[in-house]
Amino acid sequence: CPLHCVCASNLLSCSQANLSTVPAPLPRFTAVLDLSHNRVERLRGDWAPARLPHLHALLLSHNGLLFVSTEAFAHVPHLRHLDLSNNRLRALDENLFSDLGELEVLLLYNNEIATVDRTAFENLGRLRKLYLGRNRITRFPLELLREGTRLPQLALLDLSANRLHSVPAAELQALPAWLRDRLYLHDNPLACNCPLFQLLARGHRRHLSAVLDFQKELHCVLPGVPTPVGILALAGRQPLNCSEAREAVLEAHLGDSVTLGCDSRWQGGSRHWVTPAGDRVVGDGGGNGSAAVLANGSLELRALRPEDAGTYACWVVGPAANETLYVELLVHNFTAHGPHDTLNTAYTTLVGCILSVVLVLIYLYLTPCRCCCGRAATEKAPRDDSANSSVLSTTPNHAGGHREPCPALPAGAGGVGQNGRFKAGGAPPLPPQQDPKGHRKVSDPDSVSSVFSDTPIVV
């Protein structure tokens, strides 16, 4: 056992021994090393010249520590608990803890840390708790949390009592609830804004510990107001007049596939869903056969229908309590490309109608009549031309095999008129001797030509 230390099995306690350097040599079987309350101001890369394969806890708090080498932890790769709190560290340099791949708890609170390099926590895939409270941090790389690959196991982040003036509220809201439940932001000079209020108001409504336990310390700064105001008191307060946003609302279209997240505070525990129709969904399958619960507890809905809209409930059985979460799904009654298809169809129909009208007018006005009008005047008018007449023109079909184009004579009174319509009071045609030109037609108010003009068309 080193001088001035107390050894008990694989535990070495060198606390309050007035040490300025780490004692040497250290037994290889050391599992816990307590060097707190000493005067070790610099932790160099050679403080442990021999590899300590069993060391899993290193306590260096209350030492006035100013410097930590980036190679200081090369010989302790299995460290799981590191306490560097209550020192005088001013920065977390690049790749400072990259050798600690098994680290789970890192205590850095009550230092003088002002800058944090975004690679300082590289390779900390098992880190669960990170304490950075009571420092001088003006910006923390919260993108490490958003990406989810840098600190995938992180369940607690303490940034309280720092100098943060703003936080990306929208990105924090996207974090899972089990992390927001342990994301401490109190006692920071945050600028007041409505997204920040909505973030914390949702946390308060969800009974998240980071908001519920420290709501009196959650303050923000309003322009022109000398004293900080409570963030949760911003509802309806001028000049912001913030209002709470709806919780978990998802919009989709017919035929889409969506995934509803179960944003619970509990990482583990069993989960099941209840659809708006009251059907319970556990595993693969639901009331309509299109729902499935994924491995992470989310609900996948395929080929959405109008009746799939409504409020879904996720029931979570946690280790300490149960929790029920609600997600509202809005299903729009058209596909994602519906409005564009409707516009294209309407435009095509309009163009088609205009083209049809133009063709009809061209046919009526510009087509020459090459008929033998003399013979047409002496021939008996057909009794019924409705079976072969054209809908879009006043030119009738002809009886028998005679195919010469000639304007039709209107049907007699009480007979069947053009297009098969019965005309009770149709005017009889003028006889040839009374018709000076022999081929003028009597105006037919029910003919197609009347649709386009009030003036009868003379052929």
Side-chain angles (χ1 to χ4, degrees):
C1 186
L3 189 63
H4 307 299
C5 298
V6 176
C7 299
S9 183
N10 58 355
L11 279 68
L12 274 70
S13 177
C14 307
S15 179
Q16 298 181 349
N18 200 26
L19 300 174
S20 58
T21 59
V22 178
L26 294 172
R28 286 178 54 85
F29 56 80
T30 302
V32 178
L33 178 58
D34 184 1
L35 293 170
S36 61
H37 296 275
N38 283 289
R39 296 184 295 107
V40 182
E41 296 184 353
R42 304 180 68 85
L43 189 65
R44 301 181 182 275
D46 57 354
W47 70 271
R51 187 178 179 87
L52 300 176
H54 303 287
L55 187 67
H56 62 78
L58 177 60
L59 312 178
L60 282 164
S61 63
H62 297 278
N63 270 279
L65 199 61
L66 293 170
F67 171 77
V68 176
S69 172
T70 55
E71 301 176 355
F73 307 108
H75 297 295
V76 288
H78 302 298
L79 204 62
R80 299 197 301 270
H81 185 103
L82 177 59
D83 186 359
L84 297 174
S85 63
N86 295 284
N87 284 293
R88 297 169 58 190
L89 297 175
R90 297 182 178 179
L92 299 181
D93 297 328
E94 181 180 0
N95 296 315
L96 182 58
F97 306 107
S98 58
D99 291 324
L100 301 177
E102 299 181 14
L103 192 64
E104 298 178 2
V105 180
L106 178 57
L107 292 85
L108 290 163
Y109 62 87
N110 201 20
N111 274 276
E112 300 175 5
I113 301 172
T115 59
V116 179
D117 192 278
R118 69 187 313 272
T119 65
F121 308 105
E122 199 77 25
N123 300 328
L124 298 186
R126 297 187 183 181
L127 188 65
R128 297 180 59 252
K129 299 180 180 181
L130 176 57
Y131 296 88
L132 284 165
R134 298 194 175 278
N135 279 284
R136 302 175 182 176
I137 301 174
T138 58
R139 184 192 178 277
F140 181 82
L142 290 170
E143 58 270 17
L144 301 180
L145 310 181
R146 182 188 67 241
E147 295 171 359
T149 57
R150 302 293 184 91
L151 302 172
Q153 300 296 326
L154 191 64
L156 186 151
L157 175 58
D158 181 12
L159 292 172
S160 62
N162 275 280
R163 298 180 181 179
L164 297 174
H165 293 281
S166 64
V167 292
E171 296 182 5
L172 295 183
Q173 179 60 34
L175 297 177
W178 50 263
L179 178 53
R180 282 184 283 122
D181 190 33
R182 296 291 186 270
L183 176 60
Y184 298 97
L185 297 171
H186 57 276
D187 285 333
N188 275 285
L190 296 170
C192 295
N193 55 66
C194 288
L196 177 64
F197 163 76
Q198 293 172 353
L199 171 69
L200 298 180
R202 287 171 175 170
H204 187 269
R205 188 168 57 248
R206 293 283 305 278
H207 302 286
L208 301 185
S209 300
V211 179
L212 203 62
D213 297 342
F214 296 93
Q215 53 184 315
K216 294 183 179 180
E217 290 81 14
L218 286 167
H219 299 112
C220 63
V221 180
L222 275 172
V225 179
T227 59
V229 299
I231 297 177
L232 296 178
L234 291 177
R237 177 169 179 168
Q238 298 297 334
L240 298 180
N241 195 22
C242 298
S243 60
E244 293 190 28
R246 290 186 296 174
E247 179 80 18
V249 178
L250 184 63
E251 299 186 32
H253 301 86
L254 291 178
D256 287 353
S257 295
V258 297
T259 301
L260 309 183
C262 189
D263 192 19
S264 173
R265 290 179 293 164
W266 314 114
Q267 285 185 266
S270 61
R271 286 170 166 80
H272 72 269
W273 287 81
V274 178
T275 67
D279 300 323
R280 177 171 174 170
V281 184
V282 180
D284 191 0
N288 56 19
S290 62
V293 178
L294 305 180
N296 60 359
S298 301
L299 178 67
E300 183 184 30
L301 300 174
R302 300 178 292 270
L304 288 178
R305 305 174 301 172
E307 55 267 28
D308 291 330
T311 302
Y312 291 77
C314 178
W315 296 71
V316 184
V317 180
N322 299 337
E323 188 177 13
T324 304
L325 307 174
Y326 299 95
V327 180
E328 182 181 358
L329 177 63
L330 305 177
V331 180
H332 296 293
N333 199 20
F334 51 83
T335 62
H337 304 287
H340 302 86
D341 294 342
T342 303
L343 178 62
N344 292 337
T345 303
Y347 177 76
T348 305
T349 304
L350 178 62
V351 172
C353 291
I354 295 175
L355 183 60
S356 299
V357 171
V358 171
L359 292 177
V360 169
L361 294 176
I362 292 175
Y363 181 80
L364 292 177
Y365 283 99
L366 301 181
T367 303
C369 179
R370 299 184 301 273
C371 63
C372 180
C373 298
R375 180 167 37 173
T378 59
E379 289 182 354
K380 183 178 180 181
R383 297 183 57 86
D384 189 359
D385 61 353
S386 62
N388 299 312
S389 61
S390 172
V391 176
L392 298 179
S393 74
T394 57
T395 303
N397 293 316
H398 305 282
H402 193 65
R403 296 291 180 179
E404 291 184 5
C406 189
L409 297 177
V416 179
Q418 185 179 5
N419 298 329
R421 298 181 60 183
F422 179 80
K423 299 192 297 181
L430 293 175
Q433 63 273 15
Q434 298 179 8
D435 189 356
K437 294 187 178 180
H439 61 273
R440 183 181 299 274
K441 265 196 71 173
V442 179
S443 173
D444 183 1
D446 291 332
S447 65
V448 177
S449 62
S450 301
V451 176
F452 303 102
S453 174
D454 292 334
T455 303
I457 298 177
V458 179
V459 182

